[in-house]
Amino acid sequence: MSSRSVLTLTQRELLDALRNRWFIVYAAAFLVLCISLAAMIVNSAGYAGISGFGRTAAGLINLVLFLAPLMGLTLGAQSLSAEREQGTLAYLLAQPVSLGEIFLAKFLGLAIAIAGAIAIGFSISSLAIMYWSGGAGVGIFLRLLPLTLLLGWTTLAIGFVISAVSDKTVSALGIGVVAWLLLVLIGDLGLMGASVAVSISPGMLLTLTIVNPLESFRIASILQLRNSIELLGPSGLVANDRFGDLTLWVLVGVMIVWLTGATMLAYVLARRRELQ
Amino acid sequence: MSGARIVLALVLGSWLIAGYTTFAKDAEETSSGLFHLVETDPVPDDAIRVCESCANNDLQATIDSADEGVVIVVVGGSWAPVSIDKPLRLAGEDWPVIDAMGKGSGITIASADVTVEGFDIRSTGRSFDHEDSGIYFEGERVRILNNRLSEVLFGVNGALGHDSEIAGNTISGQTGVSEGLRGDGLKIWYSHRVQIHNNDIRNVRDSLVWYSNECNVYENSVQGSRYGFHFMNSDDGVARRNSLVDNSVGIYIMYGKRFTVADNLLEGSRGPSGQGLGLKEVDGFEVTGNLIYDNRVGIYNDNSPYSIGQIGWLSDNVIAYNDSGLGIVPSARDNIYTHNSFVENLEQVTVLGSGALSSGNQWSYEGVGNFWSDYSGYDADGDGVGDIPYQNTSIAEELRRTHPQLQLFRFSLAERAIDFAAQAMPLFEAEAILMDDSPLVNAPTPQNAPEVTSNESTLHTTALSVSLMATVGAGIWWARRPGAGLGGA
Amino acid sequence: MEPAIQFDHVSKRFGSFAALDDVSFEVPSGQSIALWGSNGAGKTTLIRCMLGVTAFRGEIAVEGFSSAKHGKDVRVRIGYVPQVMPLFDPPVGEMVDLISRLRGVDSAEGLRLLERFELKQTLNKPVKSLSGGMRQRLALTLALLGNPHILVLDEPTANLDASSQKDLLTLLHQLKDEGRTIVFTSHRWSEVRSLADTVVHLEEGRVKEMGAVSALALQQDLVFIRLVLDESSISPASTALTSAGFQPYSGDGSVHVTVADAHKMDVFGALSAADVRVRNFTLEVEE
């Protein structure tokens, strides 16, 4: 593995991301929604002249849950499949670089691009709150930054898996959107329904829920922003019993396992497909 | 190459500043500003002076041989624990230290009319059986003023001490010991009309006022403890303008009658049973002007008022950013809520237990309701009162109540989708927990309560934000930078 | 003198299908070799094996480096021109920059090559906006970065019009005259005859015939037919022609076939028997 090739290709990937219409739309949407939320937070803090983490600020978790995985999954899903479709991947492979270098650079480039979009959205929103309110509630965005980055990267890795097995960009995008719906909505609705219909122990429900990296993110965010696992009812108390102070790290661990597992799987699949 | 160096230097510099602001933030001490030393009587000229290099260098012997009512001044130095069994005044100068060296109590008072002031008392024993205390007293009209107590099991521990005063003391328990294994910062037992004020209490178990009527507790600060103040069977008590931050429970009142809780800051009460203010079977109370912020449950009401004919009056409180603003058992009734602000609580009102909230509560009084930050009505006639009633409905909240396991899905998009669907299709509309028919459109703001302790550093956030933006900018610059002079042009 | 490229019992299977079956031959340094054969004969697979971007059995040595084990060392020694230069997003200058850096050369060299191939004015134009001929010249530019001795071209003229094809051929002749080893595939006999010293005729993954162009049994009066078809007819047409014994080659919206002049009507016979509608065709007599 040559770090110079990886660096060169990462730079190219970043530059391509800046030219990518999808990426620009996501970054802009993320920024606009974050600033709108910042305005709402400032507005709600104005009611009684104090700020904090309340119903409005909780919307940040929803916002991130909505957009970051969409960004990660669809950008990831397009990544290899688009290059394959255009023939650029085969062309690059005929150069003195390895698939591993191309793969790593693509992942790094997109991960940096996503991180940039998130960082810009959060930092401008923080400054906006500062400007509007003089500081009340200003910390909310940045406190969620590390988890949001991790979520973006994890879903990017899952997107890469989709990309590694898809021939056409369109079908990869379709699968990406379905995966997004599944992870963000349908899985939860299913678990909620199941837990009402049949008796699932709080421990089992917790396990089934945090297997989903988006749910791990959500619960970790609640811990990070609110530091009260009791909000999560019986399953939250089980988490406290099982993991205690390590709960946050367990959830982060789930996301890291997904991130590394999906990245490796995507690489193995891409390798099998490209180099067979 | 120099362009790259400049960019790198700018980015690194911004992060260095951001990092520095982290340390600057950590260095700040949180203080409510309520604690201060209280005025003491002047020391008379005929006071007996004790110091390590004086003729009088045995403190206990001096006390034992002193006449009743004398003033003994102790100047600096380090002293063994002492017992006082007659009325006198012991006044420390230059913070004389009484170090119990991990055994027994610091000062033991077995007499009425004793004053102890200006001592630095350290390291009591750890015996719960003997209630090893910084200062233990049994006697009326005892005054404990301006002492520093640290690494103590119990802090100031008094029984049968009517008309005593405990003021201007700092009391801190053992650090590194879990709450349950600490002693009580204050323990007042069968002592009526005690004045407790301007003390700063940290890292203890509880501060108790039990079986003690007409006690006045004001302008104290309690942090990092289990029960900030715990009143039991104490009638006609007043807790005013105290700051209770980061305890498991801020103020807890059990039984007793006619209690006043006014203008306190109740903040950051966390943990499974975290409550800003807990009211258990209290008969008659006024809860007014409190700022109740960022607690697990803002005000917890378990069957208060207890007896028929008693009233709970709750007005002018700002109840903001709690997990639950109010947590009420279904059977609680005869409470009047008026002119309070319910701001941004994750759940404004939570019914604890099965069944609907008793209809015997009033959510407005003489046409004045409360401010609800989630009120979606309007005030067309501009009289400050919303034209349609406030109703607390959320199918997701309803589902969480009937199926507690669903709390795990809080803040999920699935939960939002359910609420959204319920709004779109009224078929699934949840029953309202309560109805306020005169909701206020402007929020009453905190008036006399201490300000919330903000742990947010705006400087730090600004520095971080700027660093992040600089980093992203540098990233874009790098991405657009041609490798060796081609490309751009 | 050591051969530039040595194929030694190269086999490659995709499942039960043998794409290459025990292929062995040498490419002497400075020689120009054409790989000839129908679609699916194994030409592209052989090139991919040579580039070390796919696994295979046997051994391929490029200037002494094993394709299987030292793919990067091999690829840095080979300039590769694909059938179509892919539609990269970035402008030409950036592409030259990128490939220069990947090949570890100064991109000033790229600038000289762009000048040589008359592409300098396209420096800031996206690759997408170039004409077919320009794109292939760009591909050649990129392939020559680092001045490799070996050029590998996979159907370099397949998608070009006649005049671009001629231009490219002229360039390739120049490059050959510079002493480079050239391996290329083509389905135009005229191109093979003009550029190749030796032809390797692959069929069903095996070397069917190999030798100087003039000595080959293939050598006869050939015509090149370009059939313009509906997109949906391309695959039935290829099937029909293959089963009739021809070696069709399918490209963008068209099928090409090279046949002996005497049998050219059989092509149309086979197509009408298979109910394939031919929208148009062009005929080039191979010289």
Side-chain angles (χ1 to χ4, degrees), chain C residues 211-263:
Chain C
V213 179
S214 53
L216 232 52
L218 284 165
Q219 175 71 349
Q220 47 191 303
D221 288 337
L222 292 172
V223 290
F224 174 81
I225 307 172
R226 183 162 172 271
L227 301 153
V228 180
L229 302 164
D230 292 329
E231 195 65 42
S232 58
S233 309
I234 287 177
S235 115
S238 300
T239 317
L241 291 172
T242 307
S243 53
F246 296 107
Q247 293 154 14
Y249 176 88
S250 47
D252 299 353
S254 62
V255 169
H256 309 173
V257 61
T258 302
V259 293
D261 188 44
H263 296 128

Side-chain angles (χ1 to χ4, degrees), chain B residues 10 24 48-49 52 77 102 147 166 168 179 201 226 234 313 326-327 339 341 347 444 484-485:
Chain B
L10 284 176
I48 304 168
R49 293 182 76 83
E52 283 174 335
N147 299 286
I166 300 163
E179 274 171 9
I201 303 172
R226 192 174 67 181
S234 298
W313 173 267
L326 302 178
H339 211 254
S341 290
E347 287 176 13

Side-chain angles (χ1 to χ4, degrees), chain B residues 90-316:
Chain B
L90 205 58
E93 221 178 86
D94 297 333
W95 298 108
V97 173
I98 293 186
D99 192 336
M101 316 278 268
K103 210 163 165 292
S105 296
I107 297 179
T108 307
I109 301 166
S111 162
D113 297 303
V114 173
T115 299
V116 172
E117 59 189 62
F119 277 85
D120 183 338
I121 300 166
R122 301 177 182 172
S123 303
T124 65
R126 313 281 326 146
S127 166
F128 280 94
D129 290 346
H130 298 105
E131 297 198 354
D132 290 341
S133 310
I135 299 175
Y136 180 84
F137 72 91
E138 260 183 61
E140 299 178 7
R141 296 174 302 281
V142 169
R143 303 179 76 203
I144 311 290
L145 310 175
N146 299 351
N147 299 286
R148 295 176 181 163
L149 287 69
S150 57
E151 297 289 316
V152 291
L153 185 65
F154 286 72
V156 176
N157 187 351
L160 305 170
H162 304 315
D163 301 300
S164 293
E165 182 180 10
I166 300 163
N169 303 287
T170 60
I171 301 170
S172 63
Q174 269 205 318
T175 45
V177 179
S178 74
E179 274 171 9
L181 293 176
R182 299 177 197 154
D184 300 324
L186 273 180
K187 187 176 175 192
I188 304 302
W189 179 269
Y190 286 106
S191 306
H192 302 320
R193 298 173 303 279
V194 177
Q195 306 292 310
I196 301 169
H197 60 96
N198 301 106
N199 299 289
D200 186 299
I201 303 172
R202 288 167 197 242
N203 306 320
V204 297
R205 185 173 63 186
D206 308 327
S207 288
L208 307 176
V209 179
W210 283 5
Y211 307 101
S212 301
N213 298 335
E214 295 175 64
C215 287
N216 192 5
V217 177
Y218 61 95
E219 294 182 2
N220 300 284
S221 167
V222 185
Q223 274 188 42
S225 305
R226 192 174 67 181
Y227 284 86
F229 278 107
H230 187 291
F231 297 91
M232 188 167 74
N233 281 320
S234 298
D235 297 343
D236 299 296
V238 174
R240 192 184 299 279
R241 249 184 86 73
N242 298 287
S243 163
L244 299 132
V245 176
D246 294 339
N247 307 292
S248 292
V249 175
I251 297 178
Y252 196 79
I253 305 170
M254 257 173 114
Y255 321 132
K257 311 180 183 72
R258 298 176 300 276
F259 219 96
T260 301
V261 180
D263 299 332
N264 298 286
L265 170 66
L266 304 163
E267 176 185 345
S269 308
R270 290 272 151 209
S273 50
Q275 298 158 13
L277 170 63
L279 298 165
K280 183 175 171 59
E281 299 178 7
V282 184
D283 262 339
F285 49 88
E286 281 184 22
V287 174
T288 60
N290 299 288
L291 175 48
I292 302 173
Y293 174 78
D294 188 32
N295 304 285
R296 167 95 184 88
V297 175
I299 300 178
Y300 167 81
N301 186 325
D302 182 1
N303 269 329
S304 300
Y306 185 59
S307 307
I308 306 280
Q310 297 289 342
I311 291 292
W313 173 267
L314 300 102
S315 72
D316 299 284

